[in-house]
Amino acid sequence: MQIGPHQLKNNLVVAPMAGVTDRPFRMLCKKMGAGLAVSEMVTSNSLLYGSEKTKRRANHEGEVSPISVQIAGAEPAMMAEAARHNVENGAQIIDINMGCPAKKICNVMAGSALLRDEPLVSQILKAVVNAVDVPVTLKIRTGWDRQNKNAIQIAKMAEDIGVQALTIHGRTRNDLYHGDAEYDTIAAVKQAIKIPLIANGDITTPEKAKFVLDYTKADAAMIGRAAQGRPWIFRETEHFLKTGEHMLPPTVDEIHQVMLEHLHDLYDFYGDLTGMRVARKHISWYTKGLSGSAAFRHNMNTLQTIELQLQAINDFFAELKAKNDRLVYVDNDDSDNENNGNEELAA
């Protein structure tokens, strides 16, 4: 798939997720097979540009091209300035968030709340497209609620204004993440526009990615929560789309090494203390469903140093390897009942 001058290596995209798709995670997913990774939301409020969080989100050092940064806001001039600011800091694609259903975003009329105001959508898109000389993409939902689905109208508007690719999550804003994503609206939008379309929502396995791509005729699939703790889902999905066959599960040794490298990137990126705390949720996702992981994760949250964190991981993976050379997931792990706490923040 191509976005502006950028030819992606495949049609698999990492969804922007607040608190998840930081630079270390994006770089890891690209290494594990993703063709594009969109950053977590960056505010359009210039008063916050100097904050540590915003500066970290604008840090793309060493990141593989193309670098896509998602901006959020509801004021056209501020969104245009945010686009310029991020391009100056290395963004090669600007993605506009009109898909996030989180209350704190919608309460300020940003994210998917914008879908209720098509004239404002038009103003924001024009302002951002005219502000930068890099491709602008847009992420939306199917509409505000099930009685008010306007994805086709928004998609046509975006194409006419100069947006170069569109992502649709197959739920309305009011659906949040409840129920099943629907793909009929995505298929209808694909028929109505010529720019590349990326399908998003409930794509959790290679088989589901193939089904959604075949059903909607979308140009690419965006994977979000299913990549948390399993970034190799991108290479597995690419292999399945090409061959119709499944790859063998990764080896315990490989994922042990992948995890350690990821954690060291987090420590370097955030600093030791914050990095150790951020690492905990990734460790939980990596080990969810593996034999004995419930007790391991519970203990992990009590460890207060990087050294203890790494030692516990090494011990856990040594126990896994003693049982099997490859990762084996078990159905009776009580982690299946856990909430990863990120549902409202996925953009």
Side-chain angles (χ1 to χ4, degrees), residues 141-142 169-173 175-181 201-202:
R141 287 190 162 226
T142 56
H169 182 112
R171 290 181 174 88
T172 69
R173 189 274 157 186
D175 288 332
L176 298 177
Y177 292 94
H178 306 311
D180 296 326
D202 294 354

Side-chain angles (χ1 to χ4, degrees), residues 161-338:
I161 289 170
V163 168
Q164 297 196 37
L166 177 72
T167 300
I168 303 182
H169 182 112
R171 290 181 174 88
T172 69
R173 189 274 157 186
N174 276 8
D175 288 332
L176 298 177
Y177 292 94
H178 306 311
D180 296 326
E182 58 93 359
Y183 306 113
D184 289 334
T185 302
I186 298 175
V189 170
K190 175 59 185 172
Q191 294 299 310
I193 61 174
K194 294 183 175 63
I195 58 174
L197 179 65
I198 303 167
N200 177 225
D202 294 354
I203 300 176
T204 55
T205 64
E207 294 94 335
K208 189 66 176 288
K210 185 177 190 311
F211 167 79
V212 172
L213 289 170
D214 289 347
Y215 188 85
T216 65
K217 309 303 180 188
D219 300 278
M222 177 176 278
I223 299 174
R225 287 171 289 171
Q228 294 172 357
R230 298 191 191 186
W232 52 92
I233 190 174
F234 295 100
R235 74 180 185 193
E236 291 177 339
T237 301
E238 181 177 29
H239 181 80
F240 184 79
L241 292 175
K242 286 180 177 177
T243 68
E245 298 176 354
H246 287 284
M247 297 178 71
L248 287 171
T251 66
V252 171
D253 282 342
E254 181 194 9
I255 300 312
H256 185 193
Q257 189 61 38
V258 165
M259 191 172 171
L260 291 177
E261 290 176 3
H262 185 192
L263 298 191
H264 281 292
D265 282 347
L266 291 173
Y267 305 148
D268 291 343
F269 187 65
Y270 289 100
D272 287 357
L273 182 58
T274 301
M276 180 193 67
R277 291 172 176 168
V278 170
R280 287 173 180 161
K281 63 187 175 187
H282 289 280
I283 294 166
S284 178
W285 290 329
Y286 273 112
T287 56
K288 180 180 179 181
L290 296 174
S291 177
S293 69
F296 163 79
R297 287 195 312 280
H298 178 74
N299 180 58
M300 179 59 61
N301 290 330
T302 70
L303 305 180
Q304 299 300 322
T305 69
I306 286 175
E307 291 73 23
L308 289 173
Q309 197 172 67
L310 294 174
Q311 186 58 54
I313 289 166
N314 291 338
D315 291 345
F316 178 74
F317 275 84
E319 291 176 13
L320 286 182
K321 190 177 181 185
K323 299 173 185 174
N324 200 304
D325 281 342
R326 295 188 179 272
L327 290 187
V328 177
Y329 292 93
V330 293
D331 293 330
N332 61 353
D333 183 76
D334 65 5
S335 63
D336 291 341
N337 297 319
E338 293 179 359

